[in-house]
Amino acid sequence: MHSHHHDHEHSHGDGDAKSELIFSLITFVLLVIGLVFEYAIQPHWFHGVVRSIWYIVAVIPVGWNIAREAFVLIFGHADVFNEIVLMLVATIGAMAIGEYPEAVMLLLLYTIGEYLEHRANSRARKSIASLIDTRPEQVTRLVGNTKELVAPSVCIPGDKLLILPGERVALDGTLLSLSGTLNMAALTGESMPVELYEGSEVKAGAIVVSSPIQIEVAKPFGESTLARILQLVDNASENKPKTERFIRRFARVYTPIVFALAVLVVLIPFVISLFSSSYVFNFSNSFYKALVFLVTSCPCALIIGIPLSYYSGIGAASKHGLIFKGARFLELLPQIRTFIFDKTGTLTKGMFKVTNELCLINESDVHEVQRVVLTLEEQSTHPVAEAICDYLIAKGTTPLSDINLHMEELPGMGMRYSQDDTVILVGNPKLMASHGVSINNEEISNAGETVIYVAQNGRLVMCFKLSDEVKPSSHRAIEQLKKSGYFSAMLSGDNSQTVEAVAKLLSIDEAWGNLMPEDKITHMKRLRQQGAIAFVGDGINDAPVMAVSDLSFAMGGVGSDAAIEAADVIIQSDDPYKTVEAVEIARKTHRIVVSNIILILFVKLLVMLLALLGVGTLIMAILADVGVTLLAILNALRLLRYKVK
């Protein structure tokens, strides 16, 4: 059980693991036969040299690889104090004092434990990968009127693919068919099929549910969202939590100390016997105690059980549509004190709809201003801008095509258009205030609504009222987080009245609107004084804020490259309740880690104490090492079956 312990780590393939199992079986058979000869049949010839040779032959199948590895560690890496050498010393020592069966049993159980550890790690990794890595080996590419089966890796952007019902999408692309129904469970964790329409993004990993669809490849195979998520999962173990890093550093110091203490177990009685004639030094007895002490104190269980606990926690999170970029973020989550949410697209659907248009100029001038507004808003991908475009296009408005059109984007405020003596502003109250435009009007009431103002030459001429529906799970998410003891806040660039209305509806503790990115950072630094903070946003406009937070979540990460890059945790759907599930999984993982540490230390300290008192045996030591390691592994693997209620 040593594949995780050193800077020179090695891994066991399936072939190596099977070989270990076969060698273990051979050793087991020879050990059982030897015990039958020694304690049951008791033939006259099975003693002395014959007995010694029998058990030495029995130990070779499992001991050869361990001896070879110990040799490499000592002479190749100058690493003397490690559990491999410790086990080998204990085995040779046990044989030297005639405890052959226990020596064989020590390496046998050690090898079996190592095999089971390999299987446990393999199971945890496969459990995660199987959730999302089910990409097809072949895809149907359309070339003119012909179809050809090719590997996804040879497809390039622009290729057209045909995907039949029941087949899984292999590459990211754009839907060419009029519509399509897809199951996104592998990506978002949601089993409800999603209806997509022509021009929509189709992500690798989705399954076509009803009629065949055609897509145009948007990204190469290795750059698809699914491939990147798989890479994140595979690299997650590299971001080690503080607990695991501490235990690894602890083991480097702990092991040589244990060797020294084992020497003292033999040396101290010997020294006492030199100064006390009444005390009889028994080397064999003291050496046996030292061996028990050595085997018991092996740090394998801690070094294996803790990383596996966190990795299993990452696996449980993946099943719930949550991708943690590293185990350290799983460890950090229970320490968070404040959850800060963005509004649009996070707690609300981000699907704005114009509910009212107010015009304050002559009807004859309205159409021309609307054309300018449409032309300006088409330059933005913000949901508010898209909603206004949809509204104006539905009214029959057409954009300007004047090549002399001059447009300027004012970040965080809106757009500015100037031509000849005409200046038109489209944006929020901050934009109006910066240009001295008064927006006080009795007909404008924006409580709970988003309002976009239009000014011409310094005078308010038009405004659009928009509403954004709160997601159904937002209320439940905030309520559950508050029950769990978290402080909630909302920071948004939307107008204050709208933000306050949403905050009141969701019972959020604190909310601020009309914020620029730097304003959000200022508020976050203030809130951090209460403790660690987590920010939940869409991962597109909030990258600076995410960088400042202690922990960041990206909503709807499947559709956002920026989210995958910026966030520590990716929520593969757009459900804010996933933050609650992440908290529950992190807390469960923490409980498993703590219980493993307590179990391991309690058992080891108990057997070490018994060894010093002369009661402990090598069998107890083996159970305290290999046995407790297996218990820690089984305890960690429980996380893979954990489901948040």
Side-chain angles (χ1 to χ4, degrees), residues 59-95:
V59 88
I60 287 174
V62 293
W64 174 252
N65 281 334
I66 293 174
R68 184 179 60 183
E69 190 167 355
F71 183 86
V72 171
L73 290 174
I74 294 171
F75 297 102
H77 300 279
D79 184 3
V80 177
F81 299 109
N82 59 74
E83 71 282 358
I84 307 300
V85 176
L86 186 151
M87 283 290 169
L88 198 60
V89 168
T91 303
I92 295 171
M95 286 189 163

Side-chain angles (χ1 to χ4, degrees), residues 223 380 624:
E223 296 178 16
S380 173

